[in-house]
Amino acid sequence: MTTSAKRRLEVQLGPVRLKNPVMPASGCFGFGREYSRFYALDRLGAIAIKATTKEPRFGNPTPRVAETPAGMLNAIGLQNPGLEAVLEQELPWLAQFDVPVIANIAGSTVDDYVYVAEKISTAPNVAALELNISCPNVKCGGIAFGTDPHIAAQLTKAVKGVSQVPVFVKLSPNVSNIVAIATAVEEAGADGLSMINTLLGMRIDLKTKQPILANGSGGLSGPAIKPVAIRMIYEVSQHVSIPIIGMGGIQSAEDVVEFFLAGASAVAIGTANFVDPYICPKIIDELQSLLDRMGVEYIHDLTGMGWKHGSAKA
Amino acid sequence: MTTSAKRRLEVQLGPVRLKNPVMPASGCFGFGREYSRFYALDRLGAIAIKATTKEPRFGNPTPRVAETPAGMLNAIGLQNPGLEAVLEQELPWLAQFDVPVIANIAGSTVDDYVYVAEKISTAPNVAALELNISCPNVKCGGIAFGTDPHIAAQLTKAVKGVSQVPVFVKLSPNVSNIVAIATAVEEAGADGLSMINTLLGMRIDLKTKQPILANGSGGLSGPAIKPVAIRMIYEVSQHVSIPIIGMGGIQSAEDVVEFFLAGASAVAIGTANFVDPYICPKIIDELQSLLDRMGVEYIHDLTGMGWKHGSAKA
Amino acid sequence: MSETFTQPMMNRPGVPQVSLLTVTSNSPVARQVYRMTLKGDGVQAMVEPGQFVHIKCGSSASPLLRRPLSICDVDRKKRELTIIYRVEGEGTRYLSTLQSEDMVDVLGPLGNGFPLGNRDKADRVLIVGGGVGVPPLYYLSKCLSKRGARVTHILGFNSQEDSFLTDDFHQLGETYVTTMDGSLGHKGIVTDIMAHWPPESWQAVYACGPLPMLKAIEQHMAGAYQTEVYLSLERRMGCGIGACLACVCHTPDSAISYKKVCTDGPVFKLGEVIL
Amino acid sequence: MSETFTQPMMNRPGVPQVSLLTVTSNSPVARQVYRMTLKGDGVQAMVEPGQFVHIKCGSSASPLLRRPLSICDVDRKKRELTIIYRVEGEGTRYLSTLQSEDMVDVLGPLGNGFPLGNRDKADRVLIVGGGVGVPPLYYLSKCLSKRGARVTHILGFNSQEDSFLTDDFHQLGETYVTTMDGSLGHKGIVTDIMAHWPPESWQAVYACGPLPMLKAIEQHMAGAYQTEVYLSLERRMGCGIGACLACVCHTPDSAISYKKVCTDGPVFKLGEVIL
Ligand SMILES: Cc1cc2nc3c(=O)[nH]c(=O)nc-3n(C[C@H](O)[C@H](O)[C@H](O)COP(=O)(O)OP(=O)(O)OC[C@H]3O[C@@H](n4cnc5c(N)ncnc54)[C@H](O)[C@@H]3O)c2cc1C
Ligand SMILES: Cc1cc2nc3c(=O)[nH]c(=O)nc-3n(C[C@H](O)[C@H](O)[C@H](O)COP(=O)(O)OP(=O)(O)OC[C@H]3O[C@@H](n4cnc5c(N)ncnc54)[C@H](O)[C@@H]3O)c2cc1C
Ligand SMILES: Cc1cc2nc3c(=O)[nH]c(=O)nc-3n(C[C@H](O)[C@H](O)[C@H](O)COP(=O)(O)O)c2cc1C
Ligand SMILES: Cc1cc2nc3c(=O)[nH]c(=O)nc-3n(C[C@H](O)[C@H](O)[C@H](O)COP(=O)(O)O)c2cc1C
Ligand code: FES
Ligand code: FES
């Protein structure tokens, strides 16, 4: 491989360099153990781990998932083993792989977030934090942070104050004005954005006449939400100068390129891991030949091309 | 047919009685002429006509549609022949059918809406107005009305002041708090709600590297958005006492029942008309046998059953 | 499926309807290009060259919309319809996987086709096609030939590997082929060949193909007022039946005047719409 | 498709992998219930009774998720896997349309199956199945019979029309059938039959079926501490491999302790999880 061939997938997320732009999305990959049976995790650009909270959580009652046209609903409810177990078991286990970890963190008060952020950001293989301010599944939880620019900015500032590593803020799509939230957290010091988290949705069972999910509503993910993600990234990327990790329904190398054109600098793949456990390394391979066919040398050259040289406006 | 069999699909939308709950959605059925070649329009519960504006409009440049997983984007741009032509040609033509018309109206100022509402509500076959405060396609247009509770309420009040017929307000799903908008327009005098209009979305073409739609972004409709619609109707119907016309991705009689369980009192079918021109009368037929199988006598008994007798909360 | 629903005007010529047709063959005829034949009563309604059908690709919610494909040939005795399609995306890829006996949900015939007018033996007619614009011209040429018109064809492709139907056209009349790389016929584009005759030599010109080709033909024929020129357009479509306004194009009359490609077209007289 | 991607541990017994299998037969065995056989190298990995496979239903984005279906039988020589499924919704409806030669994308084998333990000739073993919980028990019973255990089966269905595999079970050992309407065998439910023997008469009990049935068995076996009881559970799943936490159930240890049905189960020892 020539140097340029090796480096064509490299991307820079602010201070964080990734060997390729593809990472599994938080909550869709656990802490990597299960997928390590399918391929060597070193192949990934990064790994976004399951949201970690201060205390261990069981999460919501089951059923926790339901299917929708080209999508799925989940209401896992932030089940996770808690900060201590993540620091003592999961992160050290992941350290055997040459892959940076993006630690997704959640909480229900600013103090919770600050507590988790301070501790987890000191782990040697944590390259960045991802503030989950948008998880729609936990009652009285994240949702409020993600829908108000002020509150989102306050939280960002507090976490930035203690974090040893760059902080990415993961935005909720369930808002009237995504640009307002994005610019508020940028001003508050965010090093980057992750977008989008799931849309709020529901399915009702005709037999029981009740919502399928025990929690009632849940988060919609998968291909169905891709056009919403593309629209939001296209808009936000024109108003901020921090990098964006794009996600929402990615299933193929073509989808990855579409997210780059909209304005993403890296991508995360969630639901598609459930459909095909090999999807991440497959897409990484396919990106090489897709760039060849498109005559593109470096993938980072594609970021924002959808609006940089065009006249169309969102 | 026994009386009860005939009346089992009847629904009451406030003061408006429909022989069945199924109507084509605004913008997906023109003014009915095209579909009258496929079946007798009298079969429909009602017809929601294409958004009418004060002046004729050409709308957006093409391409105006793009496909997405289990959905489509449109940016038609409110193309319509204008109030005068609708009053003089389209509504009189529709009057040959025994079917109430729900006149969808749009504008870019309160005065525009009031002008159209006053005139169109006097047409003999217009049974209700549907205020399109949410169309995402027209720059500086409807979008602002639909995302601010105050502005939405003001507009509703102004239109209510001049309308001769009940006024339904069609809500935009692109908001942080749909309940706040819904309760604001209810207080302002709305006789009912239509929900949901399209989600904002975008697709980018890998060959041209530009958005597929000439307008950039467009409105996402079709099965992909069904869980979002169900969630919003489930939430809103618990907070308002006016009837809701549900829509968003309906493709089958089962889908119709799901919308009723969530809280709808009637439904509109949009995108599915493009896939199958017979879809509306087909669903009306299938509803009969579905109610049989479910052991339900009157469809209106299903409204809100998803939360009325359950414990799950959104 | 749709067949169970009462269709008041089943199988009447020209009246659009939904029918389930059975695949009788489906095989490649050029690089990424397939020819499919479909059989069923619904075919009886398909009469006009230049019309199209709107095909549901699979029964799932994705891909959602129908795909417009031109009628390439009709055998009303065998109740068989031919389409030729290039694999572009998800919909046509699905079609390419179908085998004999599979069923396809077809809405059609749709649109206004090529007017045959009073073409007769005295007439010299030119047919110009490019790429996947070629298929509808085959049925057109057959209809014109039946009336005795003397038809000349010019067919443009990217290369030999992309060419199809050239032998069939040869059998109907004089046929010139152009390819961009010269691998078959003349190296160049269709208007290179058109330039050999004065525009007025034709009583009628019919064309279907990419927009730049249609624009070049419009320019070439600009002064030939005696010649009837018909162009078939493409637009992304929603409904295909005139209801959604996805497929409009401007007309010269005013800033808001328009025609719908799906019902007013896809074939328009030169000048009727702005290309 | 997945086959092109390097799978480091292809076809090794017990190791889950993605394989494209070929349908060799697919036909109804009861009302809305189908039996499908699938052939391919991937089958070599399927060894444990009670494990399941996760099947992609179609190649489009909808339906999106895989569907979990139990391994009903495995013929490693013929490289053939049997599944039996009831048509419930979109995914299983799709499966029911498949024909010989069609390809299916299968992830498996998944989960922990029924432990065979040290079952031998001296052992009396009870197998209890209800509805579409019956399929995995067939392969289990075959494996137990091979070891010489004396196996008794109780199979519950709604009615005769819904029953399947009863003859096959008869060939493996004593078999009782119950139906809700009495149209086949005993009118009633499986625990009616279980009541004929003291719970301690079995060295082991294996069960799979609807939750109320499993709960009734749990109650019935409550005092029989000498008997090993294994129950196979169902949960809506996302990944099927332990990553998404869709499929958890509580364990008695604490308010936050849990097991995953997809990887810790689907088979659990009685008392291991809260039903
Ligand atoms: C009247 C008419 C007749 C046509 N006849 C033929 C024919 O005979 N043979 C042939 O190969 N092609 C023909 N086309 C083009 C054909 O419709 C597209 O290639 C096809 O729809 C692409 O679908 P896809 O799913 O493979 O691609 P995708 O890119 O996945 O399609 C996504 C969406 O875009 C639409 N779309 C994409 N490209 C086009 C296009 N060029 N024109 C219109 N819609 C498009 C699709 O219909 C679909 O809604 C015709 C188009 C029109 C409008
Ligand atoms: C470990 C395991 C083994 C199973 N083995 C069998 C078997 O051998 N034979 C058989 O007929 N059925 C079996 N089932 C049930 C089977 O998975 C469902 O009937 C099937 O997934 C329904 O899919 P659908 O698309 O037809 O229905 P839909 O209702 O359209 O499915 C929608 C979604 O809900 C999920 N779902 C619906 N019902 C169930 C269910 N009962 N259990 C789990 N997920 C469900 C689907 O997987 C899908 O994600 C098993 C389930 C599990 C968990
Ligand atoms: C089962 C499941 C669990 C998830 N858990 C988390 C989580 O813990 N933290 C988080 O920020 N996002 C979580 N997400 C959201 C995903 O990270 C991602 O933003 C979203 O699913 C959109 O991407 P996709 O369409 O590729 O799945 C979860 C998604 C799913 C489907
Ligand atoms: C092509 C198209 C045009 C539309 N035009 C209008 C319109 O003029 N006014 C309006 O209120 N909604 C309009 N809508 C929105 C629909 O009425 C409906 O709310 C939405 O499409 C969701 O329903 P569906 O998923 O069944 O299509 C349009 C939708 C489509 C697809
Ligand atoms: S495609 Fe709908 S009007 Fe032409
Ligand atoms: S289904 Fe994903 S953890 Fe069990």
Side-chain angles (χ1 to χ4, degrees), chain A residues 60-171:
Chain A
N60 291 322
T62 56
R64 291 177 168 190
V65 295
E67 198 173 75
T68 71
M72 68 174 281
L73 293 168
N74 88 80
I76 305 298
L78 295 184
Q79 179 162 24
N80 80 94
L83 177 62
E84 202 180 304
V86 171
L87 281 175
E88 286 173 15
Q89 288 151 39
E90 305 303 338
L91 287 171
W93 181 84
L94 270 171
Q96 71 184 288
F97 302 102
D98 174 26
V99 59
V101 172
I102 298 189
N104 188 283
I105 66 176
S108 23
T109 63
V110 173
D111 288 348
D112 281 355
Y113 277 99
V114 166
Y115 184 90
V116 178
E118 186 165 7
K119 298 251 154 56
I120 211 167
S121 68
T122 60
N125 53 338
V126 167
L129 302 187
E130 183 174 60
L131 280 197
N132 179 359
I133 60 168
S134 41
C135 181
N137 295 331
V138 184
K139 285 179 196 128
C140 323
I143 187 68
F145 293 102
T147 50
D148 182 299
H150 280 286
I151 300 177
Q154 265 179 351
L155 177 65
T156 306
K157 201 171 273 170
V159 168
K160 270 300 285 181
V162 298
S163 176
Q164 310 288 314
V165 294
V167 175
F168 278 68
V169 180
K170 185 158 177 183
L171 304 186

Side-chain angles (χ1 to χ4, degrees), chain A residues 253-268:
Chain A
E254 282 78 8
D255 290 341
V256 172
V257 168
E258 198 174 342
F259 274 79
F260 268 77
L261 295 172
S265 295
V267 295

